[in-house]
Amino acid sequence: MPPVHPKKRMGQHFLTDPEAIARIVHAVQGADTVVEIGPGMGVLTQGLLERFGCRLHCLEVDREAVAYLRREFPTLGSNLHEGDCLRFDFSTLTGSMAWAGNLPYNISSQILFQLLDQRDRVAEAVFMLQREVAARIAEGPGSRDYGILSVLLQAWYDVEYLFTVDEHVFNPPPKVKSGVIRLRRNARQSLGCSETLFKQVVKTGFNQRRKTVRNSLRGLFGSDYDYSDLIFSQRPEQLGVEEFISLTLRLEELQAKA
């Protein structure tokens, strides 16, 4: 029996492949503080501790896993935090951060949006996710996998798809393959437009992704807007971050005149 029992309600699938574990640990370049999200049985923790020592903090919500980690990695001490990562106060950690972890499929999107909220401090993230989600985040314009998360994350991060992990190297095996991605903070300091409106434009566009921008955003721009610019004849999945920023600026100007 494993020392920590995988819990379906927590979406736990413990990685068992030494090669994949080593590749994930090696992919983390580090920062002032390294945060492992959901260490579980500590398969990444060992390598991260060897590389980063007291700079490593671990966030774990499963009490059984926390007890196991305290026994196996006593040097973590107060750097092992018991609690929900979605409610953790990252202001208690110092300096720039690098995040890493095998994320539970059921809350991976929430963690990614949390990453966006913390983008001014998170210089890097190395995550294992459901392969389809990982691929979507890393895809560029023109791909059918390119979507809302792709645009919102690529506005602030350079995203690289690193490798795929098969189902059979987990306990228990998930029903789908996993993918490992690395996100590195880019040089952008501001969108130059309202971030709230930018998100609205992106989400509204992709809600009807097969339609042209003219049709998918008509509810925001109105029926009387001049749609002659070529950008409005494209589909949302064909537009990059800069094009979505341009659309947001046009909408801001329109709203300012109203």
Side-chain angles (χ1 to χ4, degrees), residues 104-173:
Y105 292 162
N106 56 345
I107 61 167
S108 60
S109 292
Q110 293 170 266
I111 294 173
L112 290 167
F113 281 114
Q114 185 181 40
L115 174 69
L116 284 173
D117 291 338
Q118 297 290 329
R119 64 177 181 267
D120 289 340
R121 294 189 58 208
V122 182
E124 175 192 54
V126 177
F127 288 146
M128 183 157 61
L129 309 154
Q130 183 175 336
R131 184 177 63 173
E132 287 72 14
V133 176
R136 186 179 305 130
I137 293 167
E139 282 289 1
S143 166
R144 66 179 183 178
D145 293 327
Y146 181 71
I148 294 171
L149 269 177
S150 315
V151 178
L152 297 183
L153 285 164
Q154 290 175 28
W156 304 102
Y157 287 90
D158 297 326
V159 185
E160 180 183 7
Y161 188 98
L162 298 180
F163 60 94
T164 300
V165 183
D166 291 333
E167 304 94 321
H168 68 274
V169 297
F170 292 88
N171 176 36

Side-chain angles (χ1 to χ4, degrees), residues 202-220:
V202 173
K203 291 178 180 180
T204 302
F206 279 103
N207 282 340
Q208 302 181 75
R209 62 181 299 140
R210 302 310 301 170
K211 294 186 176 181
T212 64
V213 173
R214 176 189 301 107
N215 291 322
S216 63
L217 296 184
R218 188 176 294 274
L220 295 178

Side-chain angles (χ1 to χ4, degrees), residues 1-7 12-16 21 36-47 58-60 62 64-73 76 80 102 170-172:
M1 295 293 289
V4 179
H5 299 84
K7 299 168 184 64
Q12 291 174 329
H13 298 275
F14 296 139
L15 182 62
T16 61
I21 291 166
E36 184 183 1
I37 296 174
M41 287 176 54
V43 296
L44 298 180
T45 310
Q46 179 65 53
C58 296
L59 312 182
E60 178 57 66
D62 181 3
E64 184 183 19
V66 169
Y68 172 78
L69 292 164
R70 291 201 191 284
R71 291 195 306 269
E72 293 297 310
F73 304 101
L76 279 173
L80 174 57
N102 171 17
F170 292 88
N171 176 36

Side-chain angles (χ1 to χ4, degrees), residues 33 50 56 91 96 120 173 196 207 247 255:
T33 299
E50 290 173 359
L56 177 66
S91 68
S96 63
D120 289 340
T196 300
N207 282 340
L247 286 168
Q255 291 181 346

